[in-house]
Structures are given as structure tokens and as C-alpha cells.
Amino acid sequence: MKIATFNINGIRARAEALPRWLRAAEPDVVCLQEIKCVDEGFPREIFEDMGYRVETHGQKGFNGVAILSKHPLEDVTRGLPGDDGDEQARWIEATVCGPRVVRVCGLYLPNGNPAPGPKYDYKLAWMARMEARVRALLTSEEPVLFLGDYNVIPQAEDAAKPEAWTEDALFLPQSRAAFRRILHLGLTEAVRTRAPRPGLYTFWDYQANSWERGNGIRIDHVLMSPQAADLLEETGIDKEVRAGDKPSDHVPVWVRLAA
DNA sequence: ATGGCTTGGGAACCAAGA
């Protein structure tokens, strides 16, 4: 079973590029971020016609997450617990009833810039809430995956130019420490585990010819509970998608689980 | 580089992204 994450930067803007990748990669499940539309505005027919169930957690203009799945989805929940006043659509969960039953959490972690400031405070508070949610889900001792745009560069080798990010919310020590706190609850970071080498990126800015210059960062991640990690067979970053027509600035990251 | 594109909102530019 192949499970992926893809920050598509606007679902309507990706009405051609996303189906093109889906046909080529044939994932069973995809967590999408930055759909940038309300639930009613999501072009679900495009994906239903391709055999996917569609669950969305949208918001007007910004943010928004969704899950596409070839297998039935149960117990869908929307929003990250811990702050009833949080209006931003950045978290969705569902249980995928496929060859394996797995809980999937799709997340769009706040950018946090500029730091310091209220946006950075929100990022750190959001990460603390995520830590609590991960802790709660781990008690199930079931396969759980946390896929999405973490907006965190975990280590210097995850950036082509780490020196350019030292003051940035994506790479500040506090951001990386919060990421490690989540990871160290007992999760496995799929790509780091299966392909531990520098030069693997998931995002290239639209500006300054970042793609052509190889100026990328790795901020989209798949974290897995021990029971999910036990099933891990393969990981991948579909970087060639960045060179396609009208691409997102992110590319898909995926894992393949046994059965 | 005090952001060089891209997106959505909404009708001329502006916020937000990373």
C-alpha cells in the first residue's frame, strides 16, 4: 500500500498536474496540503472519477487539507485538538481500511515567519498541540502515519544552503527541537531512515530559479508509529514533478507499506 | 534582497508563502 503527501499549493491551480502525477504514481492514499478552497469548492469529481474517495477540511483562500483514498475511509476527524479558537484548517485524520488498517494524519504545519512574532508563537504552540495528539494516538499501538508539510528543515543537510536559513522559522533551533520532541516520542522518519543522505529536497521556491539551481529544502515528511514503521518497505521523493507543467513548489513524498 | 514567483481574492493590488 502506497501512501503519499503532497503540498499542491492550490487545488484548482493543480487540476492538471495532480491527476497527471496520480496516474503515474498510483498511490493508494494521498494527503494534500494547501488546497486553498472551502469544502464545496474542491473539484472532487476529478478524483472520484479516478477511483478516489475524497475527504476535505477546507478554508477560504488559505491553508486547507484533504485526503484522497482508493480504500474506504472511516472515522474522519478535522482539526488539531487543543485550541477550540483555532480557525486554520491544517489537520485531518482518517482510518484507511485497505490491505492494512492504518490511521493517517495529514498535516500542514504553520510556516511561522517572521520569527520572533505572533506567527512564530502560533507555530510553536501548534507543534506542542501536535505533540500531545501524537502522544495520544501512540497509545493505540496501531499503525499510525503523520504525513505532511512540516515547514521544518530538520538538519543542515536538508537544505542546499543551510546558511541562508539560520534566522528562518523553518530552521530555528526552537523549531527543530520541537520537531525532535515529536519524533522522539517514538516515531520513525521514513526518508531519513531508508535514504539517509544529503541532497534530498521536497521544496524549491518559485523565485530566483531555485529549481534550476538545485536550491531546495526538505520540509515534507512522513513520520510513523512503531507499528507502521514495522511495515515500511520503501520510500520516495518524486522530484521530477517539480519540472512538469505548472508545478507546485513542493513535490510528493511517499512510503510503501507491506501489503 | 527590504523576496526576484505563484496563488486566491476579487476586481487594482494585496497577503501569504518559505
Side-chain angles (χ1 to χ4, degrees), chain A residues 103-242:
Chain A
R103 186 75 174 166
V104 167
C105 304
L107 64 109
Y108 176 45
L109 207 149
N111 173 301
N113 281 303
K119 290 190 174 183
Y120 194 56
D121 295 341
Y122 175 69
K123 177 176 194 154
L124 293 178
W126 199 98
M127 293 181 85
R129 287 162 58 199
M130 178 174 169
E131 184 182 344
R133 184 60 187 150
V134 171
R135 196 184 295 275
L137 283 165
L138 283 175
T139 65
S140 71
E141 301 191 358
E142 299 290 335
V144 188
L145 295 90
F146 304 89
L147 311 95
D149 176 358
Y150 281 70
N151 270 317
V152 173
I153 302 167
Q155 301 177 203
E157 69 183 49
D158 298 313
K161 296 182 180 178
E163 67 280 4
W165 296 92
T166 53
E167 306 296 317
D168 195 284
L170 279 63
F171 194 54
L172 282 174
Q174 279 188 87
S175 308
R176 298 160 63 196
F179 179 81
R180 285 196 302 273
R181 273 196 296 278
I182 292 168
L183 190 59
H184 293 170
L185 293 172
L187 302 180
T188 295
E189 203 241 281
V191 170
R192 173 76 67 212
T193 301
R194 298 279 314 186
R197 61 177 183 273
L200 297 175
Y201 309 128
T202 65
F203 169 91
W204 294 261
D205 201 296
Y206 287 125
Q207 302 183 75
N209 292 316
S210 294
W211 167 250
E212 289 79 2
R213 297 179 184 206
N215 184 17
I217 52 177
R218 194 172 71 95
I219 55 175
D220 300 270
H221 308 295
V222 181
L223 273 52
M224 318 178 73
S225 75
Q227 293 76 15
D230 284 345
L231 302 172
L232 181 61
E233 289 188 338
E234 187 183 3
T235 73
I237 300 174
D238 291 345
K239 68 177 290 187
E240 69 283 357
V241 169
R242 186 64 178 78

Side-chain angles (χ1 to χ4, degrees), chain A residues 39-50 52-56 68:
Chain A
D39 295 332
E40 304 74 43
F42 193 96
R44 52 190 309 129
E45 315 73 34
I46 296 175
F47 307 100
E48 287 170 345
D49 290 349
M50 299 176 70
Y52 286 99
R53 279 89 170 166
V54 178
E55 296 289 347
T56 61
L68 310 180

